[in-house]
């Protein structure tokens, strides 16, 4: 069971308090009418599904209820960074390098 | 003396305390401190079970949790726990154990005929035999396989024991309490770190408990263990857990421990749990799991009386039990020699030490000679005699040609064997570490750490008492430092004796017998022989993962801890590829078999899943209502009266609700309060419908899509004020709708000033439906003009019900005049009982979910999740009217424009009427164009809802059918096993198509 840090509550808690909501930084297009069919399908369904360092959304569903983001190594399951929703996407390559991947 | 194989003295048993136990009904004696295995051996009992496939007589082979043969059932409180390893069952007064997998008795077992027919059971037997015909699977093969499967018999009664559960955090968890584990725990504890030390055995000390030929700090190893444990017990920062197996290593250093709390007690305190699950989050883990001895793969190596050499030594030194009176020791390594010496010193006749090495170490030979033990170098066992107990062995001389010459025969009543040592890397492997091949040691050892753990001592292939002690201290210090940053000055104890041995062998041994006729076992529990592994390779299996599944080697309860390395070597030889190319199967949790009770803990019966009751619950129980489970909710299904069956009850409820009035508990509906200056804008973006112009006091049916354009939920939404909406959702969809709203609000539209709150549990809801609904509620409602003009269909108002504040909706899911009254949950019971009494005056009825379903189906109202399946759009459902055409955006709008969603031939929501009104369709049945379609013809759609309609006095159905809207009036077919049913496609509304009954 993973140990997850909520940047809003500033606590580490067991995974059972949280829900993972898939890849982070996939923004809903501001004006969907301007988006091609292909791009809309990409927005809906296509994810990078990285083997390695990956930014994903988590929600402290049984805690404060807030959504936040985490960088996780999908191979080792190690979390490398937690940050609040709305913060810019960190440099995943740099994080991977620092973690010795 | 009743225990003919008990030593005169020595061992850690309490000779003063004699215990009586039974095995297969026969009464025997043992001592406190015995395991069932050691007590049986003390009584000369080796035969304890029959093997799985061939029903061969099998004996105790080890002294630990890896035991593959001695699986027994233990009776307690009138039921038995199967498949316990006798080597782990602690003896207590009155213990009742039985052998398994034999009929009618252990001594005479009919299944043993399988052994004679063994050429019929080669590797892959199941795959080869049970192939065809297909129809034989259900009737012939599966019953045979099921009858033969499994060793023990499952318990007959529900488990009456209780199981505990504890979550803990610690700095350092040490798994295993041999020399390195104890040293690690001590070193870590001295730094002040919070330490947990666990060991699967009853006593701490591991191999030290059977070590009589070494000393630590000049003391007997057992005394050193006792002193160390005594010291750890005084330390507040240390938790000691004996009888506790670390069985699962999960992500983020989460380790699960199974503690056996009362199993070893004759009369356990009923307040104590049988077992306790420890869920440990350790900052650092020290794996001190030790190593286990490898069997030697020679013909007939499975006879009762053949044991691992170190286990024989453990029985002797720790339990005071001689495995036999005339013992042959066969080995490929040094350590087994000590077993021979110890036995000899206890007066046991050692007939010979047969070492397959050409030149065993000279010092060992001279010790043997000093004791008068015959030594045979370059010698292997090529076969054994006896059936229920080994009687002798055939010896073979290894010649330089690689062939084996007969070396004569020796008589013996026990054989101790040692093929060398295999480090126990299971926990390391579970931590996702990758083992690496150590050619010098001939073993897989832990590689790089993936989590915060380190292996120490024998579990990483390090042997010798002094070396393992030192390594343990260092591991403990390192772990504590990593966890807490602290260190302490630690004095290492120093050991003499217990030196590391050399030697070892892998794979099948050579012999001079007819290879086609002998069985040399690799996996005892699954009856896999060396021949089977070779056959698997000949038949094309290349990877050990395939060989494992084809032969079942390594699939026993020890997960191949005993067998893997030998199987690997045999496969490697047959494939003519190095061991490292064949691969190693993955060790998975649990490390040893773990009870379901432990995993379930208190989550059984009523505690398995929370039960959600509505305020009408007590009244419904008292009035004979029948419940159905809807998720966690208990919802009333129907209310039978005077012995009615469900059909009659539902028909009466439907009829009464349409003719007079019905009362329904709608409290389970999801409710969400949406509040704030941007509340209308938020709903505008979430739902398909327009909300901004909805006046306070009015309601609207809301349709919720996902961004792909498919229907995911629906419900009526009432506007209470400019900035406040009362949203309802389906019963099952409430949590996901709320989560979706939060998601969009927090991450896509954080600019909106809106608060949403789940209020499902805050309101009790009574639906009063039917022509008399207004008269029923009128006496209790204050502050509202209920007339049709003042309070029309789709209105909402805040009023009082019997003086209690309420939200009154005029809405209908039945097609009749209807009201839904929301009161604070604590007043729900009062509201229900008041209304239930009132409807009697109007000859009304209470009704349940089944009637609710029928009434809505008569009106063609969809139930999301029943009539939709996640691929249905509003257009498909005939609900384009629910889409705000002028809206620039809402969740799902762009999705609806995708080519596939506007294409022809989509499945659409329709009604179906069977040509014969008495015929009721089955929900889920497929719909075709042809009356008798050819096999493989794709269906045009399927039946989603089907009921008898009392209002129409005929059966009706709803369905989704390809191009359904254009097929109205056409005939389709529903092919069923008893013939095809013709149906006419209709619109989905069967009753009161104009909706006149709503607006009265
Ligand atoms: Zn939080």
């Amino acid at each position: 069971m993973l140990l997850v840090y909520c940047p809003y509550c500033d606590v580490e808690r067991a995974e059972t308090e949280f829900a993972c909501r898939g890849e982070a930084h996939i923004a809903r297009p501001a004006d969907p009418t301007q988006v091609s069919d292909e791009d809309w399908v990409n927005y809906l369904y296509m994810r990078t599904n990285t083997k390695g360092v990956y930014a994903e959304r988590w929600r402290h569903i049984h805690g404060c209820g807030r959504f936040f983001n985490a960088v996780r190594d999908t191979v080792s399951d190690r979390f490398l960074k937690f940050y609040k929703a709305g913060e810019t996407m960190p440099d995943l390559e740099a994080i991977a390098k620092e973690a010795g991947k | 003396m009743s225990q003919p194989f008990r030593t005169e003295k020595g061992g850690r048993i309490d000779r003063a305390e004699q215990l009586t136990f039974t095995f297969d009904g026969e009464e025997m004696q043992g001592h406190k401190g015995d395991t069932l295995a050691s007590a049986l051996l003390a009584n000369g009992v080796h035969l304890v079970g029959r093997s799985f496939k061939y029903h061969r007589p099998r004996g105790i082979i080890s002294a630990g949790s890896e035991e593959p043969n001695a699986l027994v059932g233990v009776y307690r409180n009138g039921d038995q726990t199967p498949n316990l390893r006798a080597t782990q069952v602690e003896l207590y007064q009155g213990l009742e154990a039985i052998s398994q997998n034999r009929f009618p008795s252990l001594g005479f077992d009919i299944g043993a005929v399988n052994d004679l027919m063994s050429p019929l059971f080669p590797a892959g037997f199941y795959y080869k035999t049970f192939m065809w015909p297909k129809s034989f699977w259900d009737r012939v093969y599966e019953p045979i396989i099921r009858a033969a499967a499994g060793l023990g018999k499952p318990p007959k009664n529900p488990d009456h024991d209780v199981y505990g559960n504890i979550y803990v955090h610690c700095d350092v968890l040490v798994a295993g309490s041999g020399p390195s584990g104890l040293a690690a725990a001590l070193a870590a504890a001295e730094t002040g770190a919070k330490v947990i030390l666990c060991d699967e055995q009853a006593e701490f000390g591991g191999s030290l408990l059977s070590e009589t030929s070494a000393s630590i700090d000049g003391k007997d190893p057992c005394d050193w263990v006792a002193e160390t444990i005594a010291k750890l017990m005084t330390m507040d920062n240390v938790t000691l857990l004996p009888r506790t197996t670390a069985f699962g290593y999960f992500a983020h250093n989460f380790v699960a421990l199974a503690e056996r709390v009362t199993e070893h007690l004759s009369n356990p305190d009923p307040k104590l749990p049988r077992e306790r699950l420890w869920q440990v989050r350790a900052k650092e883990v020290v794996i001190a799991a030790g190593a286990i001895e490898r069997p030697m793969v020679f013909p007939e190596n499975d006879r009762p009386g053949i044991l691992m050499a170190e286990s024989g030594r453990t029985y002797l030194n720790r339990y005071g039990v001689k495995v036999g009176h005339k013992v042959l020791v066969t080995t490929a390594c040094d350590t087994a020699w000590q077993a021979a010496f110890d036995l000899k010193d206890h007066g046991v006749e050692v007939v010979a030490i047969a070492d397959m090495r050409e030149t065993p170490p000279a010092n060992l030979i001279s010790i043997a000679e000093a004791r008068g033990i015959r030594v045979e170098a370059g010698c292997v066992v090529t076969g054994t005699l006896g059936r229920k107990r080994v009687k002798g062995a055939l010896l073979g001389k290894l010649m330089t040609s690689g062939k084996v010459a007969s070396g004569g025969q020796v008589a013996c009543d026990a054989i101790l064997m040692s093929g060398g040592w295999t480090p126990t890397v299971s926990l390391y492997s579970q931590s996702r570490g990758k083992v690496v091949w150590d050619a010098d040691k001939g073993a897989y050892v832990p590689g790089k750490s993936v989590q915060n753990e380190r292996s120490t001592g024998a579990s990483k292939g390090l042997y010798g008492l002094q070396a393992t002690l030192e390594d343990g201290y260092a591991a403990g210090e390192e772990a504590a430092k990593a966890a807490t940053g602290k260190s302490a000055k630690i004095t290492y104890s120093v050991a003499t004796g217990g030196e590391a041995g050399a030697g070892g062998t892998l794979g099948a041994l050579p012999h001079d017998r007819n290879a086609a006729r002998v069985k040399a076992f690799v996996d005892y529990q699954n009856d896999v022989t060396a021949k089977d592994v070779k056959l698997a390779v000949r038949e094309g299996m290349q990877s050990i993962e395939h060989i494992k599944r084809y032969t079942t080697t390594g699939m026993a309860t020890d997960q191949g801890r005993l067998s893997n390395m030998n199987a690997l070597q045999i496969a490697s030889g047959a494939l003519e590829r190095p061991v490292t190319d064949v691969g190693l199967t993955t060790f998975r949790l649990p490390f040893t078999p773990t009870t379901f009770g432990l995993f379930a803990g208190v989550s059984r019966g009523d505690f398995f899943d929370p039960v959600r009751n509505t305020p009408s619950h007590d009244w419904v129980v008292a009035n004979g209502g029948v419940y159905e489970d809807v998720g966690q909710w208990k919802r009333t299904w129907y209310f039978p009266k005077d012995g009615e069956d469900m059909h009659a009850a539902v028909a009466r409820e439907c009829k009464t609700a349409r003719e007079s009035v019905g009362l329904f508990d709608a409290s389970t509906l999801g409710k969400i309060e949406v509040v704030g200056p941007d509340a209308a804008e938020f709903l505008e973006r979430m739902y398909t419908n327009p909300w901004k112009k909805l006046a306070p006091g009015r309601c609207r049916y809301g349709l919720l899509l996902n961004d792909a354009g498919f229907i995911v939920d629906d419900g009526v939404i009432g506007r209470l004020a400019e900035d406040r909406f009362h949203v309802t959702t389906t019963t099952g969809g409430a949590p996901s709708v709320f989560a979706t709203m939060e998601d969009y609000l927090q991450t896509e539209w954080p600019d909106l000033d809106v608060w949403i709150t789940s209020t499902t549990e805050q309101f009790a809801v009574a639906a009063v439906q039917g022509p008399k609904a207004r008269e029923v509620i009128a006496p209790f409602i204050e502050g509202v003009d209920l007339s049709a003009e003042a309070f029309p269909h789709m209105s909402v108002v805040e009023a009082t019900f019997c003086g209690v504040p309420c939200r009154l909706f005029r809405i209908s899911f039945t097609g009749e005049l209807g009201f839904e009254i929301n009161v604070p949950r604590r007043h729900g019971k009062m509201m229900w009982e008041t209304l239930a009494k009132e409807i009697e005056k109007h000859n009304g009825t209470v009704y349940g979910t089944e009637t609710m379903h029928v009434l809505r189906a008569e009106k063609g109202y969809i139930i999301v999740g029943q009539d939709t399946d996640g691929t249905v759009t509003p257009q498909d459902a005939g609900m384009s009217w629910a889409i705000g055409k002028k809206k620039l955006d809402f969740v799902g709008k762009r999705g609806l424009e995708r080519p596939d969603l506007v294409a022809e031939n989509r499945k659409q929501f329709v009604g179906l009427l069977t040509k014969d009104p008495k015929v009721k369709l089955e929900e889920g049945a497929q719909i075709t164009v042809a009356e008798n379609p050819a096999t493989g013809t794709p269906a045009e759609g399927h039946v989603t809802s089907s009921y008898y309609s009392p209002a129409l006095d005929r059966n009706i159905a709803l369905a989704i059918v390809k191009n359904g809207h254009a097929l109205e009036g056409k005939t389709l077919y529903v092919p069923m096993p008893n013939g095809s049913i013709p149906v006419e496609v209709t619109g989905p509304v069967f009753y009161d198509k104009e909706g006149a009954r709503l607006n009265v």
Side-chain angles (χ1 to χ4, degrees):
Chain A
M1 186 171 14
L2 307 182
L3 199 56
V4 184
Y5 170 80
C6 173
Y8 293 96
C9 296
D10 189 23
V11 291
E12 255 187 348
R13 287 288 189 271
E15 187 186 346
T16 43
E17 277 190 23
F18 299 84
C20 184
R21 287 284 176 260
E23 186 164 14
H25 303 289
I26 305 221
R28 188 173 189 271
D31 184 356
T33 58
Q34 299 302 305
V35 178
S36 70
D37 285 333
E38 196 187 340
D39 286 349
W40 191 255
V41 166
N42 285 341
Y43 158 69
L44 288 177
Y45 299 118
M46 301 311 283
R47 299 295 180 263
T48 56
N49 196 24
T50 310
K51 181 183 180 183
V53 175
Y54 192 54
E56 58 194 6
R57 290 164 7 105
W58 284 79
R59 184 175 178 218
H60 196 182
I61 188 162
H62 299 300
C64 64
R66 302 293 295 267
F67 284 84
F68 59 90
N69 295 324
V71 176
R72 183 173 62 99
D73 181 342
T74 58
V75 177
S76 69
D77 261 343
R78 272 173 66 200
F79 283 111
L80 303 171
K81 189 178 172 68
F82 293 97
Y83 54 105
K84 293 179 180 176
E87 289 180 25
T88 50
M89 184 168 177
D91 181 347
L92 295 185
E93 270 181 38
I95 290 177
K97 204 177 259 177
E98 201 181 323
K101 290 293 294 182
Chain B
M1 188 169 157
S2 66
Q3 301 169 43
F5 289 84
R6 193 66 79 176
T7 57
E8 294 293 319
K9 56 179 178 9
R12 303 185 55 73
I13 47 158
D14 182 352
R15 287 172 193 263
E17 191 170 339
Q18 184 149 307
L19 303 173
T20 304
F21 69 100
T22 63
F23 181 65
D24 281 344
E26 194 183 330
E27 198 170 286
M28 290 179 233
Q29 314 293 322
H31 290 290
K32 190 174 160 47
D34 263 326
T35 61
L36 176 60
S38 69
L40 286 168
L41 291 175
N43 286 276
V45 176
H46 278 262
L47 171 63
V48 288
R50 290 275 176 169
S51 73
F52 181 55
K53 198 156 77 173
Y54 303 127
H55 288 246
R56 284 170 70 96
R58 287 285 164 79
I60 297 156
I61 187 172
S62 76
S65 67
E66 69 273 22
E67 175 60 38
N69 288 344
L71 303 184
V72 297
V74 172
Y75 275 93
R76 192 150 216 170
N77 302 323
D79 209 339
Q80 54 104 26
T81 306
N83 295 331
L84 293 175
R85 289 154 301 282
T87 49
Q88 283 192 301
V89 174
E90 290 174 58
L91 201 67
Y92 55 81
Q93 177 61 32
L95 183 139
E96 282 178 70
I98 53 161
S99 60
Q100 304 183 153
N101 203 34
R102 83 296 193 259
F103 177 82
S105 74
L106 184 55
F108 176 72
D109 173 27
I110 286 172
V113 72
N114 284 3
D115 196 16
L116 301 174
M117 305 198 307
S118 61
L120 301 178
F121 299 103
F125 169 69
Y126 287 85
Y127 301 106
K128 288 167 183 160
T129 310
F130 302 121
M131 299 255 291
W132 53 267
K134 210 169 149 191
S135 61
F136 266 44
W137 260 108
D138 295 346
R139 285 176 288 127
V140 184
Y141 297 148
E142 203 178 309
I144 291 175
I145 293 170
R146 285 202 184 281
L151 288 161
K153 294 267 175 290
K156 289 192 175 63
N157 304 313
D159 191 343
H160 49 72
D161 285 311
V162 294
Y163 297 82
N165 180 30
I166 295 179
Y167 292 92
V168 275
H169 290 254
C170 71
D171 294 320
V172 179
L173 168 70
V174 181
S177 71
S180 47
L182 277 181
L186 195 60
E190 298 268 20
T191 69
K194 197 179 163 201
V195 174
I196 294 174
L197 172 65
C198 69
D199 193 290
E200 62 178 356
Q201 298 211 26
E203 263 194 288
F204 291 109
S207 61
L208 294 173
L209 299 175
S210 42
E211 185 55 79
T212 52
S213 56
S215 65
I216 304 176
D217 287 347
K219 291 166 213 155
D220 182 282
C222 287
D223 294 337
W224 182 84
V225 170
E227 280 173 29
T228 305
I229 294 299
K231 184 168 185 188
L232 290 169
M233 282 175 82
T234 63
M235 300 170 90
D236 291 340
N237 55 328
V238 177
T239 305
L240 295 175
L241 296 174
R243 300 186 180 90
T244 304
T245 308
F247 69 87
Y249 199 132
F250 302 82
H252 294 189
N253 266 28
F254 188 74
V255 184
L257 319 177
E259 182 190 7
R260 293 173 295 282
V261 183
T262 60
E263 200 111 285
H264 61 293
L265 300 171
S266 187
N267 287 303
D269 180 346
K271 288 199 286 288
L272 285 175
R274 176 189 180 200
E275 294 178 323
R276 195 178 277 137
L277 175 65
W278 290 72
Q279 303 193 55
V280 182
R281 185 78 69 174
K283 288 202 180 107
E284 295 287 329
V285 173
V286 177
I287 299 171
I292 58 168
E293 220 169 3
R294 231 169 13 248
M296 297 177 94
V297 184
F298 54 79
E300 299 107 22
N301 60 345
D302 66 326
R303 299 215 192 280
I306 303 178
L307 292 86
M308 304 312 311
E310 188 66 18
S311 301
R313 193 166 167 246
T314 295
Y315 283 119
L316 183 76
N317 293 337
R318 180 168 168 190
Y319 296 104
V321 173
K322 300 177 273 194
V323 294
H325 292 316
K326 276 169 77 87
V327 180
L328 170 70
V329 176
T330 179
T331 183
C333 70
D334 299 349
T335 52
W337 289 64
Q338 191 62 48
F341 303 157
D342 289 359
L343 282 167
K344 182 77 182 173
D345 294 348
H346 275 274
V348 176
E349 185 188 342
V350 177
V351 296
I353 298 172
D355 195 318
M356 65 183 287
R357 293 173 295 181
E358 193 64 34
T359 49
N363 65 319
L364 292 178
I365 292 174
S366 59
I367 299 172
E369 279 170 355
R371 283 171 165 79
I373 300 173
R374 171 184 164 197
V375 173
E376 293 288 341
C379 179
V380 288
V381 172
T382 59
T384 65
L385 309 169
R387 182 145 179 91
K388 291 178 212 164
R389 175 76 185 261
V390 68
K391 285 196 299 206
L394 308 173
L395 299 181
K397 283 293 202 187
L398 291 168
M399 299 189 295
T400 41
S401 63
K403 288 209 160 47
V404 177
S406 171
Q409 190 172 325
V410 291
C412 60
D413 64 354
I415 298 175
L416 294 183
M417 61 178 165
S418 178
W421 294 83
T422 303
T424 301
V425 294
S426 309
L427 272 186
Y428 168 76
S429 188
Q430 285 181 22
S431 81
R432 300 194 195 176
K434 292 264 175 288
V435 292
V436 292
W437 177 248
D438 185 325
D440 288 344
K441 297 194 170 94
Y444 277 104
V445 295
K448 227 171 77 182
S449 288
V450 175
Q451 299 201 40
N452 298 334
E453 58 77 36
R454 77 257 323 115
S455 294
T456 178
S459 65
K460 70 174 188 193
L462 182 73
Y463 304 111
L465 186 50
Q466 176 59 26
T468 49
L469 267 181
E470 254 177 54
D471 192 59
Y473 282 116
E477 285 182 294
E478 182 194 291
K481 181 97 204 245
T484 65
K486 290 190 204 125
S487 49
K489 204 163 165 51
I490 290 147
T491 318
Y492 287 19
S493 290
V494 180
T496 52
E499 283 89 4
T505 187
L506 291 170
L509 302 181
H511 58 74
D512 55 350
R513 310 269 303 281
N514 179 348
R517 300 191 66 99
V518 299
K519 289 196 191 77
F521 286 89
V522 176
D523 187 313
Y524 290 91
Q525 201 179 96
N526 280 348
D527 265 353
V528 181
T529 64
K531 239 172 6 198
D532 292 327
V533 177
K534 287 176 193 159
L535 181 65
V537 169
R538 277 209 304 283
E539 295 190 348
M541 308 298 143
Q542 303 257 322
S543 151
I544 194 67
E545 294 287 359
H546 293 146
I547 293 167
K548 167 179 166 176
R549 282 156 184 82
Y550 199 60
T551 64
T552 71
T553 188
M555 286 170 77
T557 50
D558 71 328
Q559 288 192 46
R561 278 196 279 155
L562 284 166
S563 61
N564 270 352
M565 294 311 300
N566 284 328
L568 210 53
Q569 178 64 37
I570 295 166
S572 147
L575 288 163
E576 296 178 352
R577 283 176 15 216
V579 163
T580 45
D581 275 14
V582 186
L584 182 67
T585 55
T586 312
F587 289 100
R588 298 178 200 286
L589 66 105
F591 175 64
T592 48
T594 306
T595 61
F596 284 111
L598 186 85
F599 288 111
V602 297
S603 303
R604 297 165 39 175
D606 288 345
F607 295 112
F608 180 68
D609 205 23
V611 172
R612 301 174 84 181
N613 289 328
T614 65
S616 66
H617 191 87
D618 293 345
W619 188 95
V620 171
V621 171
N623 287 274
V626 177
Y627 278 113
E628 68 166 338
D629 290 332
V630 180
Q632 293 169 333
W633 287 105
K634 294 272 178 214
R635 299 195 75 180
T636 316
W637 199 4
Y638 58 97
F639 290 89
K641 256 191 179 171
D642 310 324
E644 281 174 334
D645 62 6
M646 179 170 164
H647 183 81
V650 170
R652 174 184 48 75
E653 289 172 18
C654 287
K655 207 162 171 311
T656 311
R658 292 232 184 272
E659 284 172 4
S660 167
V661 67
L663 171 65
F664 175 70
D665 188 339
S667 302
T668 64
L669 275 190
K671 296 171 273 293
I672 300 168
E673 192 89 340
V674 177
V675 186
D678 295 323
E681 171 65 24
F682 175 61
L683 292 178
E684 189 89 357
R685 295 187 194 183
M686 288 303 304
Y687 283 81
T688 60
N689 326 61
W691 299 98
K692 287 183 177 166
K693 290 195 180 125
L694 184 71
R698 298 293 297 162
C699 304
R700 180 164 285 160
Y701 171 81
L703 195 57
L704 185 70
L705 311 184
N706 56 21
D707 249 330
F710 300 124
I711 297 171
V712 293
D713 203 79
D714 67 349
V716 169
I717 300 175
R719 190 168 200 172
L720 297 165
E722 277 299 321
D723 62 350
R724 182 175 292 268
F725 290 83
H726 179 116
V727 174
T728 66
T729 74
T730 59
T731 295
S736 65
V737 171
F738 185 73
T740 303
M741 285 185 174
E742 278 285 359
D743 195 347
Y744 278 96
L745 203 48
Q746 288 185 36
T747 67
E748 298 293 353
W749 310 315
D751 53 305
L752 293 185
D753 194 356
V754 179
W755 282 94
I756 64 170
T757 310
S758 166
T759 53
T760 303
E761 300 277 2
Q762 272 61 41
F763 290 106
V765 187
V768 183
Q769 304 275 314
K772 302 272 179 65
R774 188 180 284 116
E775 288 154 66
V776 168
I777 68 164
F780 313 110
I781 298 285
E782 278 183 279
V784 193
D785 176 354
L786 289 175
S787 68
E789 301 71 38
F791 196 61
H793 183 52
M794 297 306 263
S795 298
V796 60
V797 70
E798 289 182 279
T800 63
F801 179 92
C802 293
V804 170
C806 77
R807 288 178 180 177
L808 177 68
F809 288 78
R810 185 175 163 190
I811 49 179
S812 172
F813 198 43
T814 57
E816 303 295 331
L817 166 68
F819 298 91
E820 288 188 8
I821 312 165
N822 290 246
V823 295
R825 162 90 196 204
R826 63 186 179 281
H827 299 296
K829 192 170 185 294
M830 174 277 289
M831 172 172 69
W832 178 265
E833 285 171 6
T834 304
L835 291 169
K837 206 163 170 194
E838 186 67 17
I839 55 167
E840 279 179 17
K841 295 182 191 164
H842 303 273
N843 294 317
T845 184
V846 288
Y847 66 91
T849 50
E850 190 65 17
T851 291
M852 178 268 282
H853 276 110
V854 175
L855 297 177
R856 69 88 202 177
E858 289 173 342
K859 287 293 293 177
Y861 297 149
I862 62 163
I863 288 199
V864 174
Q866 177 169 340
D867 301 301
T868 70
D869 60 2
T871 67
V872 176
T873 67
Q875 291 94 327
D876 299 339
M879 296 168 81
S880 300
W881 54 265
I883 293 176
K885 304 287 182 303
K886 290 183 199 144
K887 288 168 68 167
L888 292 176
D889 190 19
F890 57 81
V891 174
K893 182 176 170 66
R894 179 64 186 83
L896 286 174
E897 291 157 14
R898 290 189 292 150
D900 279 359
L901 274 65
V902 295
E904 295 293 305
N905 290 327
R906 289 195 60 80
K907 287 181 183 171
Q908 296 165 332
F909 185 58
V910 295
L912 296 180
L913 289 174
T914 43
K915 300 273 174 169
D916 177 351
K918 289 196 175 62
V919 172
K920 184 166 171 255
L921 296 174
E922 246 180 67
E923 287 176 0
Q926 303 293 305
I927 300 161
T928 57
V929 174
E931 184 171 3
N932 291 300
T935 305
T937 306
E940 297 294 299
H942 71 275
V943 178
T944 60
S945 295
S946 174
Y947 308 95
Y948 166 72
S949 162
L952 279 70
D953 189 22
R954 61 155 301 138
N955 286 291
I956 59 170
L958 299 168
I960 53 171
V961 175
K962 195 185 280 181
N963 276 331
H965 295 159
L967 293 175
E968 222 165 290
K970 296 263 172 12
T971 298
L972 295 175
Y973 295 90
V974 177
M976 296 299 287
N978 296 329
S980 210
I981 303 169
V983 295
E984 187 191 325
V985 180
T986 70
V989 185
F990 298 101
Y991 183 73
D992 186 28
K993 289 181 185 160
E994 318 72 46
R997 301 180 69 89
L998 280 171
N999 299 304
V1000 291

